[in-house]
Amino acid sequence: MCEVGTRPPLAAERGEPPGGAAAAAAERCRDMGEQPIFTTRAHVFQIDPSTKKNWVPASKQAVTVSYFYDSTRNSYRIISVDGAKVIINSTITPNMTFTKTSQKFGQWADSRANTVFGLGFPSEQQLTKFAEKFQEVKEAAKLARDRSQEKIETSSNHSQTSFAAKMKRESGRETPSSTRASSVNGTDDEKASHGGPAEAHLKSENDKLKFALAQSSSNVKKWETELQSLRESNARLSTALQESAASIEHWKKQFSACKEENDQLRGKIEELEEQCNEINKEKERNAQLSRRLQELETELQDKELELEELRKQGEIIPELMSECESVSEQLQAAEKKNKDLEEKVRTLRTEVEENKHRQTNLKTELKNFLDVLDGKIDELHDFRQGLSKLGVDN
């Protein structure tokens, strides 16, 4: 078997180009009876021995990772070499399991090396191929182990069966000789000559059986040692699995708490957005009311200018009355109406000045007043045109 634990010579020392250490290691393994059955490239990691949680990079870049088959020992290994350093030397057993933890990362635990190896692949397809090959090799290792156990059991059963048959044959041989000794008188030399070869044969058979039993017991001890190591590995893996499950539960709780906090913050944000929308609506309403108030003030100023003009026109009316005696009665009536209107205007002006905050209620009255005033202005305008016609006629 290839000794991958020793330091291989550097590429510069062997006169090889850089990066040829993995190829040289594979060539040495083939020379010692191991053959590569699958090769890929990946980033290699090992679990931190102190925390058993964090990953520690075992290679600075992607390196070659290969499956090797040892025909002499009927075993499988995963081997990876980074320059002059062997970073993976893991013998695959039927109890190992390769786990995909993400789309491009997988891991497995090696109880003999007392560590957990992790591989990061460039693509999900390469990870899938490596996992399928791992399962295939594990099944082959299991089959090889079952076959070796069957061979041991068969050899043990065969040894016990042959021992029982030989003992039966020897007992069958001894019975006639003792019968002959009792029935026929013979000498001691004859008895010795009959008993000597049988004892030598039994002794040789006993030695063989003792050797077979010793070998079987040694094999049993080896398998018991292997079984104990596998049990310890299973215990460590169970502990690691429990720690991982506890860590997962802890992160699930934190995730749930963060999710609840996120939902609360979203609710608060929605409430603030609704408040902002209401504030914006109130601002728009206030702006509309301010614009409407400015428009009303402008209209009021216009109406006051019109009243001033009407006053000026009312001062000209008495002069026209002296010239137009024929329409004095109508003019007097118009003056009375004008005085009434002026009083109403004065009253409205005082009310407007005093009740600026009640503009909404005064709009209707002001509109009615303006309608009446417009009618009177039209009458005055008609009356003025009539006077002008009378003056022309005169």
Side-chain angles (χ1 to χ4, degrees):
M1 181 178 289
C2 174
E3 295 294 329
V4 297
T6 60
R7 175 189 177 276
L10 298 176
E13 296 173 356
R14 298 192 307 268
E16 298 176 356
E27 185 65 27
R28 290 203 303 155
C29 290
R30 283 194 293 268
D31 294 340
M32 297 301 292
E34 286 184 294
Q35 295 294 330
I37 57 177
F38 181 81
T39 301
T40 185
R41 291 184 67 83
H43 291 271
V44 181
F45 299 86
Q46 287 187 5
I47 201 72
D48 190 353
S50 59
T51 62
K52 297 293 184 181
K53 293 182 181 180
N54 300 325
W55 289 106
V56 178
S59 61
K60 296 181 179 179
Q61 57 187 358
V63 295
T64 302
V65 182
S66 303
Y67 287 93
F68 279 89
Y69 172 65
D70 187 358
S71 58
T72 58
R73 296 189 179 183
N74 198 17
S75 62
Y76 297 87
R77 290 197 301 169
I78 299 176
I79 297 175
S80 179
V81 180
D82 184 12
K85 180 182 178 182
V86 177
I87 55 179
I88 298 179
N89 181 16
S90 178
T91 301
I92 299 176
T93 62
N95 296 323
M96 286 185 178
T97 302
F98 185 82
T99 306
K100 294 181 182 179
T101 57
S102 66
Q103 292 183 351
K104 298 181 181 180
F105 192 85
Q107 66 184 43
W108 78 96
D110 189 346
S111 60
R112 295 181 179 178
N114 193 20
T115 186
V116 180
F117 293 102
L119 296 179
F121 294 88
S123 64
E124 185 177 1
Q125 291 78 9
Q126 294 183 7
L127 173 60
T128 302
K129 290 180 180 178
F130 188 89
E132 291 175 353
K133 196 65 180 178
F134 193 97
Q135 184 66 25
E136 179 183 344
V137 169
K138 187 177 76 170
E139 294 295 333
K142 182 179 180 182
L143 183 61
R145 185 188 67 178
D146 294 340
R147 286 179 180 176
S148 63
Q149 288 180 351
E150 290 176 359
K151 287 180 180 179
I152 291 171
E153 292 175 357
T154 303
S155 63
S156 178
N157 293 331
H158 180 70
S159 300
Q160 293 177 1
T161 304
S162 62
F163 176 73
K166 288 178 181 179
M167 292 296 292
K168 188 176 181 180
R169 287 197 300 270
E170 294 300 329
S171 64
R173 290 176 183 175
E174 291 175 358
T175 303
S177 62
S178 62
T179 305
R180 286 195 301 271
S182 61
S183 60
V184 180
N185 292 326
T187 62
D188 294 336
D189 294 337
E190 290 176 353
K191 292 178 181 180
S193 64
H194 286 291
E199 290 178 359
H201 182 71
L202 284 174
K203 187 176 182 180
S204 64
E205 290 296 329
N206 287 332
D207 293 337
K208 290 179 180 179
L209 290 173
K210 286 179 180 180
F211 178 74
L213 289 173
Q215 188 175 4
S216 299
S217 63
S218 64
N219 290 332
V220 169
K221 289 181 180 179
K222 289 181 181 178
W223 286 114
E224 287 178 352
T225 305
E226 182 70 18
L227 180 61
Q228 185 63 26
S229 64
L230 291 175
R231 286 177 179 172
E232 293 176 356
S233 174
N234 288 335
R236 286 194 294 269
L237 289 175
S238 299
T239 303
L241 183 61
Q242 291 176 358
E243 292 178 356
S244 300
S247 178
I248 289 171
E249 291 296 330
H250 176 68
W251 285 113
K252 282 183 179 178
K253 291 180 181 178
Q254 286 190 351
F255 177 75
S256 300
C258 291
K259 189 176 181 181
E260 292 177 358
E261 185 178 359
N262 190 14
D263 294 337
Q264 292 177 359
L265 291 175
R266 285 182 179 176
K268 290 181 180 179
I269 289 172
E270 290 177 356
E271 291 177 358
L272 292 174
E273 287 180 351
E274 291 178 357
Q275 292 178 1
C276 290
N277 293 330
E278 292 179 357
I279 291 171
N280 292 329
K281 290 179 181 179
E282 291 294 332
K283 288 182 178 180
E284 290 179 357
R285 291 174 185 171
N286 292 332
Q288 291 177 358
L289 292 174
S290 299
R291 288 194 296 271
R292 183 59 180 165
L293 183 60
Q294 290 178 358
E295 290 176 357
L296 291 174
E297 290 178 352
T298 305
E299 290 179 0
L300 185 60
Q301 291 177 359
D302 294 337
K303 296 302 179 180
E304 288 178 352
L305 293 174
E306 290 178 358
L307 289 174
E308 291 293 333
E309 291 178 356
L310 289 175
R311 286 176 184 176
K312 291 179 180 179
Q313 291 177 2
E315 292 176 355
I316 300 173
I317 290 174
E319 296 177 358
L320 296 174
M321 289 177 64
S322 60
E323 296 177 358
C324 303
E325 294 178 355
S326 62
V327 291
S328 59
E329 295 179 357
Q330 297 178 359
L331 184 59
Q332 289 176 357
E335 285 179 353
K336 290 179 180 180
K337 292 179 179 180
N338 191 14
K339 288 179 180 179
D340 295 333
L341 291 174
E342 286 179 354
E343 290 177 358
K344 289 181 179 180
V345 169
R346 290 190 186 93
T347 303
L348 289 173
R349 286 183 65 185
T350 55
E351 289 179 356
V352 168
E353 290 177 355
E354 292 176 355
N355 301 320
K356 287 185 179 180
H357 297 289
R358 299 178 183 177
Q359 292 178 2
T360 54
N361 296 325
L362 294 176
K363 280 198 304 184
T364 305
E365 296 179 0
L366 181 61
K367 185 176 180 180
N368 295 331
F369 173 74
L370 292 175
D371 291 336
V372 174
L373 186 62
D374 289 337
K376 296 301 178 181
I377 291 171
D378 291 336
E379 291 179 0
L380 290 173
H381 183 68
D382 294 336
F383 179 71
R384 185 177 180 181
Q385 287 181 354
L387 288 178
S388 62
K389 285 181 181 180
L390 291 174
V392 171
D393 292 337
N394 292 330

